[in-house]
Amino acid sequence: MWRFNLIKEISDKGKWIISSDVAIVIADKYPKAQQHFLVLPKADISSIFELTREHLPLLEELHLLASNIVEVRGLQWKDFKVGFHAEPSLERLHLHVISQDFVSSCLKKKKHWNTYNTELFVPYEVLRDKLKAENSYQRLSPDVIHALLATPLCCNQCDFKPRNLPLLKEHLEQHLQNKSGQNKSVIYTKIETAKDKINKMDAKEKNEHKKEQIIQNIRNELKKKINDKEHILIESDQAVVVKADYPKAQYHFRVVAKADIADVTKLTADHLPLLDHMMDLAVQIMEKQDHVPSRNFRIGFKADPFWDRLNMHVISDDFYSMSMKRIRHWNSFNTELFMPFQQAYIMLSSEGAIEPISEEESEKLKLQVPLHCNQCDFESPLLLSLKAHLYTHWQSKEHERQIKKQTDSIVKLLDEVKLDDNAQPLPSAISEGQSQQEVSTENVYGPPINMMNQANINNPFRGTPPRFGIAAAAPPQRPFVNAPRHQRPGNPFARAPRPQQKVYPYGYAPRPQLADNHFGPPSRPYGIHRGNMQPRGPMPPRFSTAPANTVFASFNQQPRFAPNNPPNQRPRAPKQQQNQRPRAPNPQQNQGPRAPNPQQNQENPPQLTYNPNQTNLIPKHKPTPAANAGQPAAK
Ligand code: AMP
Ligand code: ZN
């Protein structure tokens, strides 16, 4: 039956122009304008009359695909009408995405015109608001429909009132030609030239063109993710947190803005509250990785972003990942191509804009060698040898984490014994401190680890090439160096200070000197170790005691896209106390203190929804103003 023609149409995947998990875009078979698409849900929803509030997310997805198809075709959103017919003729809910020229041989009847140019056409927003308010959309009465169909013709672009449809069509063609003549960024000219261009292309050019289109499609992926609840770890009204698809470190998330902002260079000072909010979400996702201190995360933007949507990286600084495959991957996080959050924030506050990095400069930075380790002085022209080196850092940190975890559990146990003298320690608590297996379950609180040594054929570490001697790089044997020293006055179980233990300000101790060959094989084919991982003189205190504005001042003196972590100056953080919130980000380490935003209502943090099905992460607490505790206040 003709009523089911659309359902039949979408059963053929070849007709799908773009699709998402829940919806499809096809071309209208009888287009009533130069461009006419239909967006349909995959779910069996027959018409708008079936919709309720519950369908609002779906409706949003249809709308998103509508904007995608316009974009993918290189057209302009403002030239389109997007909505539903109040009295649809075909089954399966469908959203019309139609260009407003209405120049088409299929537009044959006055009825066609009036179904798009009177109240018989229900714009997307109207239907959405109606559902929000009334939870359903009611059919118009036959009388009203009849009256609307009889509405006298009137041009949609000027006041012209033609006597009949042929006159209107002639007139509409005139509008279209005029626009083409203006040779502006009007869709009609664009459509023609794009098509013409493709026709004129040779096979190679066509191939290139196809590639470009595919890339553009990929660039749009991030936008789709915003509506894909499956991928969302944290959601607020303004942004979502998702796991990076190709994580470049063990923990790699993106905070993606919901507003249609292409990238960091499109921000203005008006967006500072949004940045504040995105930072709040970043803090929350870092908190959830409770075995990784926040100082081990970098937060910032790609100065030369690929994705077509503002997104902020929250990435652990191990850069230990199988997806780190190219020099440009490394450089995009470890050169001026990465713009730390604070830098972006300050530039927006002071200059009101962030200038895009030039293509030339960006290309140069992407391929820049040698590659410098972000954790010591090591450098190498080869990514593979840097990766082998990063592995040793990762290994030693992992070892420290294990030791810390074991010590913590013993200390906790001792605490419990102290609180209740009669209490017997739980057997489970004891075994927690002892069992290697249980300790290694710590990762249930984080995303799956990108284990480099897994048996993936793309894994450069598979089989561990002997020339890098990874197998020989044993984890550093310095137990308890980083174990917390819980000194509770009057606690009989408190440990005595270690012999020769120096007292350092801010609670950190420089790393001990390590044997020269500690982190690598005796002969290294590539790369230079300069004083590998040795302490480098006094470390600057983590929090400046100078007035807050000096922190910012020193930042302002940095080059436009300053390297994030000046080698040799990695500040150490004070020991983190148990149960404390992650520390305030370090100004020199990208996660710097934000100037408090007067526009941000700190009493009412945005409502967040958290999808517990997504990961094993356990939601802790909502962001509170305390999240900024310890950050210098900028005036
Ligand atoms: P409506 O009046 O809102 O139900 O619109 C139905 C739309 O589907 C019209 O714009 C038709 O041109 C279009 N249409 C009808 N048959 C097909 C088909 N087989 N494939 C694609 N579009 C179709
Ligand atoms: Zn007109």
Side-chain angles (χ1 to χ4, degrees), residues 57-100:
L58 172 73
L59 224 52
E60 236 176 74
E61 175 80 10
L62 300 185
H63 192 249
L64 182 77
L65 280 195
S67 64
N68 284 345
I69 186 67
V70 172
E71 214 171 312
V72 163
R73 290 290 164 101
L75 306 171
Q76 300 222 4
W77 185 243
K78 67 175 172 53
D79 295 323
F80 280 81
K81 274 188 110 141
V82 179
F84 302 86
H85 275 147
E87 192 57 44
S89 53
L90 299 188
E91 289 234 346
R92 182 59 62 89
L93 175 72
H94 54 276
L95 175 67
H96 289 270
V97 183
I98 184 165
S99 59
Q100 310 210 43

Side-chain angles (χ1 to χ4, degrees), residues 35-216:
Q35 302 288 330
H36 191 175
F37 307 98
L38 302 175
V39 190
L40 305 95
K42 287 182 177 171
D44 187 14
I45 299 169
S46 76
S47 74
I48 48 172
F49 309 118
E50 262 184 33
L51 298 176
T52 66
R53 266 181 214 122
E54 275 181 18
H55 294 99
L56 287 168
L58 172 73
L59 224 52
E60 236 176 74
E61 175 80 10
L62 300 185
H63 192 249
L64 182 77
L65 280 195
S67 64
N68 284 345
I69 186 67
V70 172
E71 214 171 312
V72 163
R73 290 290 164 101
L75 306 171
Q76 300 222 4
W77 185 243
K78 67 175 172 53
D79 295 323
F80 280 81
K81 274 188 110 141
V82 179
F84 302 86
H85 275 147
E87 192 57 44
S89 53
L90 299 188
E91 289 234 346
R92 182 59 62 89
L93 175 72
H94 54 276
L95 175 67
H96 289 270
V97 183
I98 184 165
S99 59
Q100 310 210 43
D101 53 86
F102 292 102
V103 172
S104 164
S105 56
C106 295
L107 190 99
K108 289 175 177 160
K109 300 176 187 167
K110 182 178 179 182
K111 175 187 162 169
H112 290 155
W113 175 259
N114 277 340
T115 55
Y116 289 97
N117 292 285
T118 66
E119 277 158 47
L120 288 168
F121 190 82
V122 187
Y124 163 80
E125 290 79 9
V126 172
L127 180 71
R128 181 197 60 196
D129 295 346
K130 197 117 186 160
L131 286 181
K132 271 188 198 165
E134 297 169 19
N135 200 28
S136 69
Y137 184 81
Q138 300 297 322
R139 243 195 177 91
L140 297 176
S141 74
D143 287 349
V144 172
I145 294 173
H146 197 257
L148 287 169
L149 285 174
T151 309
L153 296 172
C154 178
C155 174
N156 62 337
Q157 293 157 71
C158 73
D159 292 337
F160 179 59
K161 293 185 175 56
R163 265 181 294 117
N164 53 36
L165 191 69
L167 286 178
L168 174 61
K169 288 185 62 136
E170 216 172 88
H171 175 86
L172 290 170
E173 287 220 24
Q174 207 58 51
H175 273 301
L176 181 56
Q177 272 175 23
N178 290 348
K179 279 190 174 158
S180 310
Q182 285 166 9
N183 198 20
K184 285 208 171 148
S185 63
V186 178
I187 58 161
Y188 321 111
T189 47
K190 262 194 160 172
I191 297 162
E192 279 308 300
T193 51
K195 268 186 192 163
D196 286 352
K197 258 189 203 161
I198 295 170
N199 286 340
K200 275 185 221 154
M201 285 174 184
D202 60 26
K204 195 178 153 204
E205 282 170 333
K206 270 189 185 152
N207 222 349
E208 281 297 310
H209 177 77
K210 216 175 184 174
K211 249 196 238 163
E212 259 170 44
Q213 286 216 320
I214 291 169
I215 288 175
Q216 185 54 45

Side-chain angles (χ1 to χ4, degrees), residues 328-344:
R328 64 184 158 82
H329 292 158
W330 174 261
N331 282 340
S332 71
F333 286 101
N334 292 284
T335 65
E336 291 87 330
L337 287 169
F338 190 77
M339 189 177 215
F341 175 87
Q342 195 192 16
Q343 200 179 342

